[in-house]
Amino acid sequence: MAKRIKKEKKIRITADSICKAIGVESEKEHILPFGEGENIVEVSVKPRLSLTERSSMIQDIVSMVFLEDQNGCTIYRPEFKRFAFDYEIVNYFTDIAMPVDGNKAWEFLERTDIASLVRENVCNDCISLIIYEANEAIEYRKNEILKQSKLDKVINGFIDLFASIQNKAEGFDLNQIINYVQKNAPELKEKLDVLLKNDIAEASAD
């Protein structure tokens, strides 16, 4: 009976060993001192975020610039964009407990300019990449809302059309309506196509 040849297991190189070989050390948090003497306060600033933190930060930025109006419709509020970026930069990169109230948070950011100080102590391109990805997510959300708005207009056009047919059909025998549709199918189809094209064109123009 032939002996089974044992395959040698290939030892995979770890990420830590690569970092050690090229001299990449773990990054330490920066300390930003505020105030003087006994009133000094030290704020810790992360040099970068984890993948999970980056994703959460981008989602939070997006949620801050899309709000619901009184009718329950989602609307884009571009005037909140800069505030959302600065708020989440401080919120995610530092150990500061940001105010929940929007007006208080805005006043704090404006009076201290702390978002700019945080940017100066974060790794190169880290925040700029997050802002780029957040802008991409915002544009995607805007397009999704626009598509839904166009679809709603087309559906409403269908509803109005069927409501009109139903009103005009009152008092008619069902068999009469069926016979009429069968005899005039090509003409009815042409009219329906025109109505649909007009609804879609109006939705696209918006």
Side-chain angles (χ1 to χ4, degrees):
M1 185 176 179
K3 292 183 178 180
R4 294 181 64 184
I5 299 174
K6 292 184 178 180
K7 292 183 179 180
E8 293 184 3
K9 290 185 178 180
K10 186 177 181 180
I11 299 174
R12 301 188 68 181
I13 301 171
T14 65
D16 288 339
S17 62
I18 293 293
C19 290
K20 185 176 180 181
I22 61 178
V24 175
E25 298 180 357
S26 58
E27 295 173 305
K28 296 180 180 179
E29 294 185 352
H30 299 287
I31 303 298
L32 291 181
F34 287 88
E36 297 178 357
E38 296 180 357
N39 296 324
I40 194 167
V41 176
E42 293 184 339
V43 175
S44 296
V45 181
K46 298 177 182 178
R48 67 178 73 241
L49 300 180
S50 68
L51 180 61
T52 302
E53 289 171 330
R54 282 169 61 92
S55 177
S56 296
M57 180 177 172
I58 290 169
Q59 291 178 43
D60 288 343
I61 289 172
V62 173
S63 67
M64 289 179 73
V65 298
F66 288 95
L67 305 175
E68 284 192 0
D69 62 12
Q70 58 185 3
N71 298 318
C73 298
T74 302
I75 56 174
Y76 174 51
R77 300 294 298 271
E79 69 271 25
F80 292 153
K81 197 171 180 181
R82 193 193 120 202
F83 168 65
F85 283 135
D86 287 350
Y87 184 98
E88 296 304 345
I89 284 170
V90 177
N91 189 39
Y92 274 89
F93 281 92
T94 76
D95 55 356
I96 296 174
M98 288 295 290
V100 177
D101 181 86
N103 290 320
K104 290 182 178 179
W106 173 258
E107 183 181 0
F108 169 71
L109 292 168
E110 287 292 291
R111 294 180 66 181
T112 61
D113 196 29
I114 192 168
S116 297
L117 295 172
V118 172
R119 283 186 174 94
E120 294 173 3
N121 288 271
V122 173
C123 69
N124 294 336
D125 297 329
C126 186
I127 289 181
S128 60
L129 285 172
I130 291 175
I131 290 176
Y132 171 79
E133 291 165 0
N135 280 322
E136 289 282 296
I138 289 170
E139 287 303 312
Y140 176 80
R141 182 79 182 276
K142 284 166 63 177
N143 289 332
E144 288 298 303
I145 292 172
L146 183 61
K147 287 179 185 177
Q148 185 61 48
S149 176
K150 291 178 179 179
L151 179 61
D152 289 342
K153 287 190 175 183
V154 173
I155 291 173
N156 288 335
F158 269 116
I159 293 172
D160 292 341
L161 174 64
F162 288 127
S164 176
I165 293 173
Q166 186 177 18
N167 291 334
K168 292 178 180 179
E170 288 182 1
F172 284 88
D173 181 70
L174 181 59
N175 289 326
Q176 288 179 315
I177 296 173
I178 294 173
N179 290 333
Y180 177 79
V181 171
Q182 288 175 339
K183 290 179 180 178
N184 299 275
E187 182 182 351
L188 291 172
K189 181 180 181 302
E190 184 178 346
K191 290 181 179 180
L192 183 59
D193 286 342
V194 171
L195 287 171
L196 287 176
K197 286 178 181 178
N198 289 338
D199 284 336
I200 293 172
E202 289 177 5
S204 300
D206 296 338

